[in-house]
Amino acid sequence: MFTGIIEAVGTLTAIDRKGDDCRITVATQNLDMSDVKLGDSIATNGVCLTVVHFANDFYQADVSAETLKLTGFADYKNGSKVNLEKAMQVGGRLGGHIVSGHVDGVGEIDTIIDHIDYMEIWVKAPDELAKYIAHKGSITVDGTSLTVNKVDGARFMLWIIPHTVKETVIDTYQSGTRVNLEVDLIARYLERLLLGEKAAQPTSSKITEAFLAEHGYLK
């Protein structure tokens, strides 16, 4: 598990293809690697990856074909900057929100507006994720825990302070940049809880307006 508080910005220095999979090498820059062990997890642009080889200034991880398909890793190349966060430790501060490192979908940067003391960013999420994105709720963008400041359909807006821009890959964003999105875990559990006993039915069953009305969620 992670917190969405980025510890360092790394750089992809190698992408070695192995059939449909690949192994990446990440130069860790300022990330403290002194307590990292083989098999540890490091969130890399929000994707939980397992360390298979490392030294003081880099680590390697294998990226499956499924991960390449479902995240922005398919777009990355040598020199790409990535947000880095080691798995949180029990007893540590939870400065952001609970992040699993399992990407729900890939969004796209729509609009960036620079203000005097903050940056306004609009992101277009996949339509199927829109129901999980709420005003003042939490969302993870490339591994960074952020607060949703406005929602318009599948688009949502973020206010980013200068410190966050400086300490993450956000300063590399431009219109059209694809970003990894992970919605708030609580929203996913609430959706499942609403199913009640019907959760045991085949996954083809879905929450409908009729189901919500029957259980008093709609008037």
Side-chain angles (χ1 to χ4, degrees):
M1 303 298 288
F2 306 91
T3 67
I5 303 300
I6 303 305
E7 297 179 80
V9 173
T11 304
L12 287 179
T13 58
I15 303 175
D16 300 315
R17 292 284 178 177
K18 297 183 174 182
D20 293 332
D21 305 334
C22 72
R23 174 169 292 188
I24 63 169
T25 302
V26 181
T28 51
Q29 258 73 12
N30 297 324
L31 186 69
D32 179 11
M33 297 288 288
S34 62
D35 58 351
V36 172
K37 304 181 297 297
L38 284 179
D40 281 358
S41 297
I42 296 180
T44 308
N45 257 14
V47 181
C48 178
L49 296 178
T50 300
V51 174
V52 298
H53 183 61
F54 72 98
N56 290 332
D57 58 354
F58 78 91
Y59 68 90
Q60 293 181 325
D62 292 328
V63 182
S64 69
E66 184 75 0
T67 300
L68 289 171
K69 177 182 176 183
L70 298 178
T71 71
F73 267 94
D75 301 333
Y76 300 165
K77 56 185 182 298
N78 286 351
S80 292
K81 301 295 184 182
V82 288
N83 289 322
L84 304 178
E85 182 192 355
K86 295 181 292 186
M88 69 178 185
Q89 296 179 325
V90 176
R93 288 192 176 94
L94 182 59
H97 70 285
I98 296 175
V99 176
S100 70
H102 301 154
V103 171
D104 293 303
V106 178
E108 184 175 299
I109 301 298
D110 186 6
T111 307
I112 299 176
I113 303 172
D114 286 314
H115 296 273
I116 294 176
D117 54 356
Y118 69 95
M119 179 184 290
E120 176 182 334
I121 299 180
W122 282 89
V123 183
K124 173 66 169 66
D127 289 349
E128 61 270 21
L129 295 186
K131 60 185 175 181
Y132 302 112
I133 301 171
H135 179 230
K136 295 302 180 182
S138 296
I139 193 163
T140 307
V141 180
D142 279 343
T144 306
S145 173
L146 297 168
T147 299
V148 177
N149 294 103
K150 189 176 292 187
V151 178
D152 180 15
R155 296 169 69 246
F156 63 93
M157 187 262 280
L158 307 164
W159 287 337
I160 315 294
I161 62 174
H163 175 78
T164 303
V165 174
K166 179 183 177 182
E167 299 297 326
T168 68
V169 301
I170 290 175
D171 65 349
T172 69
Y173 290 170
Q174 55 188 314
S175 181
T177 298
R178 282 159 44 91
V179 291
N180 294 322
L181 301 178
E182 181 185 332
V183 299
D184 191 354
L185 210 57
I186 295 174
R188 285 212 172 275
Y189 278 116
L190 283 175
E191 179 186 42
R192 187 69 174 169
L193 284 169
L194 284 174
L195 287 171
E197 293 181 358
K198 293 187 178 182
Q201 295 179 4
T203 55
S204 57
S205 66
K206 296 180 180 179
I207 294 178
T208 63
E209 288 190 14
F211 172 84
L212 293 175
E214 177 187 347
H215 290 80
Y217 292 103
L218 294 179
K219 295 181 179 180

